[in-house]
Amino acid sequence: MLGTIFLSETVGTAMLLLLGGGVVANNILPRNKGAGTGFLHVNFGWGLAVFAGVLVSYASGGHINPAVTLGILASGATQYVEGVPVDAVSTLTYISAQMLGAFIGAVLCWLAYKKQFDDEAPAGAKLGVFATGPEIRNPLWNLVTEAIATFVLVFVVLSASAGRFFGATPVVNLGWLGALGVALLVVGIGISLGGPTGYAINPARDLGPRIAHAVLPIPNKGGSDWSYAWIPVVGPIIGGVLAGVLARVLLPMGL
């Protein structure tokens, strides 16, 4: 069963990063049909990337995000999906698959845009396809922004799933309608809270592709900004866990 979980989360997170990274590449790399279409285009592209990722990872509950997995853990849920208890082994299975999938998705995005990456483009734009970065660099407030945005993501997802919160069915994935709801939620977070840091709201989404950026043979790519890399990992973890803790207090009352 855990093998299926691992494969499902790997494929789902790879789909997320292929399409999410792709919309950024289409916007900011040179000689693209979508060049300069703007941040709103990126917001909707990432929302649709989440929609696709959640759908194809139905077997594992469509977490595709360590912050979601840790939020469910903190909420007191007993199973991730039917037959998969919430414990250390299953949690590590989810998170390791998400990290691997994010790396794979970033590599696939690079392959799709290989000629654009080889073309003349600022090093910052090339990194921006893979990883997030702040508009105003301040570690404390960048961390706060990521924690708040991820709290919104995880708490709303858990709230939408409250009717099956401690049951055997998947906590996150509720089929097409549920996947669409999560997608629209991500669009809303991007539109409202995405400006300061680029809204990673997912440790795997940022760290896996950042590693890919570091190892791929991209011409004139510059550094991978490792001094900032901890913020889109730690901030979403804090936000996700806090959402799970609040869900443990509030949501079971409505069951």
Side-chain angles (χ1 to χ4, degrees):
M1 184 66 180
L2 286 180
T4 300
I5 296 297
F6 186 89
L7 181 60
S8 174
E9 287 292 307
T10 299
V11 171
T13 315
M15 183 69 72
L16 169 69
L17 267 298
L18 170 59
L19 299 181
V23 72
V24 177
N26 197 14
N27 265 269
I28 67 176
L29 293 182
R31 300 174 67 180
N32 273 311
K33 303 294 188 183
T37 44
F39 192 55
L40 187 60
H41 182 218
V42 171
N43 296 152
F44 276 97
W46 271 105
L48 293 172
V50 169
F51 177 70
V54 169
L55 282 182
V56 302
S57 58
Y58 179 83
S60 57
H63 297 192
I64 60 174
N65 183 344
V68 172
T69 302
L70 293 174
I72 296 170
L73 173 67
S75 75
T78 57
Q79 299 185 87
Y80 285 125
V81 291
E82 186 173 4
V84 179
V86 175
D87 58 27
V89 173
S90 60
T91 300
L92 288 174
T93 299
Y94 272 91
I95 293 175
S96 59
Q98 291 154 0
M99 292 298 302
L100 176 62
F103 178 88
I104 292 171
V107 172
L108 291 174
C109 177
W110 168 70
L111 289 172
Y113 282 88
K114 175 66 164 58
K115 301 309 294 182
Q116 281 75 20
F117 276 108
D118 290 347
D119 205 351
E120 292 296 327
K126 293 179 179 181
L127 175 60
V129 175
F130 291 89
T132 61
E135 289 300 304
I136 300 174
R137 188 172 292 252
N138 183 299
L140 173 61
W141 292 108
N142 300 153
L143 187 74
V144 168
T145 297
E146 284 292 330
I148 291 171
T150 311
F151 174 89
V152 172
L153 171 68
V154 177
F155 189 68
V156 173
V157 165
L158 293 176
S159 298
S161 308
R164 54 186 72 196
F165 195 44
F166 294 100
T169 49
V171 173
V172 175
N173 195 319
L174 307 179
W176 279 82
L177 185 58
L180 179 60
V182 176
L184 292 174
L185 172 62
V186 170
V187 172
I189 291 171
I191 291 170
S192 351
L193 300 172
T197 61
Y199 72 117
I201 60 175
N202 181 340
R205 171 264 175 275
D206 197 275
L207 183 57
R210 198 181 295 268
I211 294 171
H213 176 269
V215 302
L216 287 171
I218 302 170
N220 304 312
K221 64 181 177 181
S224 300
D225 196 9
W226 290 108
S227 65
Y228 180 78
W230 66 276
I231 291 172
V233 173
V234 176
I237 289 173
I238 293 171
V241 170
L242 289 176
V245 170
L246 184 60
R248 180 192 286 260
V249 174
L250 294 182
L251 298 184
M253 296 174 62
L255 294 178

